[in-house]
Amino acid sequence: MTPLLTTKGLSRSFGGLHAVRDVDFQLLPGEIRAIIGPNGAGKTTFVSLVCGRIEPSTGAIVFDGDDITNLPAHQRVRRGIAYTFQITSVFANLTAYENVALSVQRALIDKHQDRAPQKRAAALHRGVMEALERTGIASHRAALAGNLSYGHQRLLEVAMGLALKPRLLILDEPTQGLSDGEIESFIGLARDISGEATVLLIEHNMQVVMALADRITVFNAGRILAEGAPEEIRSNVAVQNAYLGTAADA
């Protein structure tokens, strides 16, 4: 199977700090891939390079066969890459509905420019409600985003990503701030999403990682330390020493 995403020798330095070092990475279509590792391992920098938030110092990024290394972030969104942030980036003074509508409107402009205004309005409403319902926050659609709990803001951001109809959905610590029940619902949602999009997630909750991931990539000191199926990673001594022992104690 041809990879959906490939990075070749991807690196990013900030002054003397090598946040990401010479990373070769492949992600297959329809996969749920988890990225784990200790704080400061380079995980968020890596996905920020993939989505175009920051530029690489060296290396290349290929998405669906095309080199996107020099594409700005908004053009990557148009190609089907959606990213939710480690820290929520919702528009606090807009309602949950309006936040998601911004994403749906972007998708409609890109895909249905010739659609009549009435039909576009109906499609907008359907798209917003579908995303809100799938993430379990439709009942909060009229609430200002800034008034939502942190966990619901996280889910709202996932809804905004889903509304873009991405081919690759990148989630940075999506379960942070969620209750146990919300985490269980998120696991089901992520599995559902993988039927229509590839999922790449950074996650510290190892129960979520082990329940969801087809494969796991472990970062340490800006490099890939190990990759493999969940059981392979669980039994990897180097991973245990670098991360899993600490994660289990947390």
Side-chain angles (χ1 to χ4, degrees), residues 12-229:
R12 174 67 196 209
S13 298
F14 299 96
L17 173 65
H18 300 286
V20 171
R21 302 184 182 210
D22 197 31
V23 171
D24 294 335
F25 176 86
Q26 289 190 340
L27 183 65
L28 297 177
E31 186 176 5
I32 300 178
R33 177 76 65 91
I35 295 179
I36 66 172
N39 291 332
K43 307 180 298 294
T44 293
T45 301
F46 174 72
V47 297
S48 295
L49 290 166
V50 170
C51 72
R53 290 186 63 218
I54 58 177
E55 297 179 356
S57 301
T58 58
I61 304 167
V62 177
F63 183 70
D64 195 26
D66 294 327
D67 190 321
I68 63 168
T69 309
N70 298 316
L71 281 185
H74 71 275
Q75 290 191 23
R76 299 187 197 199
V77 171
R78 288 181 176 178
R79 286 175 177 258
I81 299 176
Y83 176 66
T84 71
F85 294 84
Q86 184 177 16
I87 300 172
T88 56
S89 60
V90 298
F91 295 96
N93 293 323
L94 297 180
T95 66
Y97 185 101
E98 289 166 338
N99 269 270
V100 179
L102 293 173
S103 294
V104 176
Q105 187 173 38
R106 174 75 270 170
L108 290 175
I109 289 172
D110 289 341
K111 298 176 182 178
H112 302 289
Q113 294 187 32
D114 58 343
R115 182 171 285 187
Q118 263 189 327
K119 291 184 177 179
R120 187 178 294 179
L124 176 68
H125 180 71
R126 285 196 304 271
V128 173
M129 292 309 299
E130 178 188 357
L132 290 172
E133 287 165 1
R134 289 183 72 183
T135 51
I137 56 172
S139 62
H140 300 284
R141 59 187 176 274
L144 290 178
N147 292 339
L148 295 174
S149 68
Y150 184 77
H152 284 156
Q153 288 185 28
R154 301 294 292 169
L155 292 171
L156 174 58
E157 197 172 30
V158 174
M160 293 166 69
L162 281 177
L164 290 166
K165 302 294 184 183
R167 300 179 62 195
L168 170 61
L169 180 61
I170 303 174
L171 304 169
D172 197 344
E173 298 194 32
T175 66
Q176 184 179 346
L178 300 188
S179 68
D180 290 344
E182 288 169 337
I183 288 174
E184 286 300 315
S185 295
F186 171 80
I187 289 172
L189 173 64
R191 288 174 177 152
D192 181 53
I193 293 169
S194 69
E196 60 199 57
T198 302
V199 178
L200 177 63
L201 73 153
I202 296 174
E203 183 56 66
H204 282 294
N205 185 323
M206 292 308 300
Q207 290 182 329
V208 173
V209 170
M210 294 299 175
L212 269 181
D214 299 311
R215 287 175 60 80
I216 299 170
T217 298
V218 185
F219 270 71
N220 191 42
R223 299 180 185 274
I224 292 179
L225 175 65
E227 286 188 312

